[in-house]
Amino acid sequence: MLKHPLLAFYVLACAVTWAFHIPLALAAVGAVGWRLPAWVHVLGALGPLAASLGMTWATRGPAGLRDLARRATTWQGGWGWLAFALLSPGACFLASGAVLSLFRGDMTALRGFGYAAELPQLGWLGTWLLWTLTFGFCEEMGWRGFMLPRLQQGRGAYAATLLLGLLWAFWHVPSFFYNMPVNPMVWVAFLISILAGSVVMTWLYNSTGGSILIPALWHGAFDTAVAGADGMVAGAVNACVIAGAIVILRRYGPDALSPQPKQVVSRGQE
């Protein structure tokens, strides 16, 4: 584990998450007779969090955990980053929904914001809190908090981001069989959106001095905007993210993907 901290982190993250997601997948395809409540899916977010805390303790001890906590609660660069993280996914949803509503002649495209199929009784604010605390913070404590700064050591931010995006997508595989249509084209579209979202979150992470808070808030806001949205609206929001990733890559280049230097953790710090 200490010789290969990234591999150990990823195996632990998948093991914890898949302990919740594989039973849901088996039930969905009829391989077993049990039925689990849909909200069990949310518990899978504990995987990256548990792996990050465990491997940070193992490699850097209490000082590493304190640094992780600091980065999860602070950021550099001003309030504009916080506003972008909280508001940009919702703004894309509203713009896309409004345009689609004009073409359809009704307001159905503006429905679905903040809807969680796993817990449909939650309002949009409750859903935002749920997604932010789980698939926002729990995931980003691992992907951006532990993995990204280590992947960026010795490689450019863009290369590190693509590698992280592929690993992040594979972590989702069991949920493909119960949380989205069993359709390879849908899976390819999901992979593209994961890679584009990874570029955006690397930009946020490096630009704010290694803050976990800002990518986590953006991740939670994005899930709030697309999880229950009309398919065309969700696709339009993802298109905005892809366009943003292209602009970031062209504007800042592949080495840092941000106006600030890439954030790294070297083997000497562990």
Side-chain angles (χ1 to χ4, degrees):
M1 290 177 67
L2 295 179
K3 289 178 64 175
H4 304 284
L6 279 171
L7 177 61
F9 162 83
Y10 189 68
V11 170
L12 286 171
C14 288
V16 174
T17 296
W18 291 358
F20 296 105
H21 288 182
I22 287 179
L24 288 169
L26 291 174
V29 299
V32 295
W34 64 61
R35 286 293 181 268
L36 298 174
W39 55 259
V40 171
H41 170 71
V42 177
L43 299 178
L46 295 173
L49 174 65
S52 179
L53 294 176
M55 289 307 302
T56 298
W57 173 269
T59 57
R60 300 183 66 195
L65 291 178
R66 288 193 294 271
D67 177 62
L68 200 64
R70 177 188 61 80
R71 291 187 291 124
T73 53
T74 62
W75 75 95
Q76 299 175 15
W79 292 97
W81 294 107
L82 182 65
F84 179 89
L86 289 172
L87 301 177
S88 61
C92 290
F93 173 92
L94 289 173
S96 303
V99 171
L100 189 57
S101 294
L102 288 175
F103 281 99
R104 288 181 175 175
D106 59 47
M107 303 298 289
T108 56
L110 290 170
R111 297 174 185 169
F113 182 84
Y115 175 78
E118 294 83 355
L119 292 166
Q121 68 272 26
L122 296 176
W124 73 265
L125 181 58
T127 297
W128 173 77
L129 287 171
L130 176 68
W131 292 155
T132 299
L133 292 174
T134 55
F135 298 115
F137 274 97
C138 287
E139 280 199 56
E140 295 312 321
M141 290 287 282
W143 307 133
R144 257 50 66 172
F146 186 89
M147 210 170 197
L148 180 60
R150 288 162 176 81
L151 287 175
Q152 289 189 138
Q153 177 65 27
R155 58 174 61 86
Y158 186 54
T161 297
L162 293 181
L163 178 56
L164 174 54
L166 291 172
L167 293 170
W168 185 22
F170 185 74
W171 172 83
H172 285 87
V173 163
S175 69
F176 289 1
F177 296 94
Y178 66 86
N179 207 36
M180 64 177 67
V182 182
N183 183 329
M185 293 305 297
V186 174
W187 297 348
V188 170
F190 178 79
L191 174 60
I192 293 171
S193 70
I194 280 277
L195 294 174
S198 294
V199 169
V200 171
M201 283 192 278
T202 293
W203 169 65
L204 293 172
Y205 179 83
N206 285 336
S207 297
T208 56
S211 172
I212 301 167
L213 173 66
I214 299 302
L217 290 174
W218 186 87
H219 192 163
F222 175 83
D223 285 355
T224 303
V226 303
D230 176 281
M232 292 189 67
V233 174
V237 174
N238 277 296
C240 292
V241 175
I242 293 168
I246 293 170
V247 170
I248 290 167
L249 179 60
R250 290 178 61 86
R251 172 68 177 82
Y252 298 110
D255 186 58
L257 290 178
S258 85
Q260 303 299 325
K262 62 185 179 183
Q263 301 292 309
V264 300
V265 172
S266 67
R267 291 302 299 268
Q269 293 176 281
E270 297 183 323

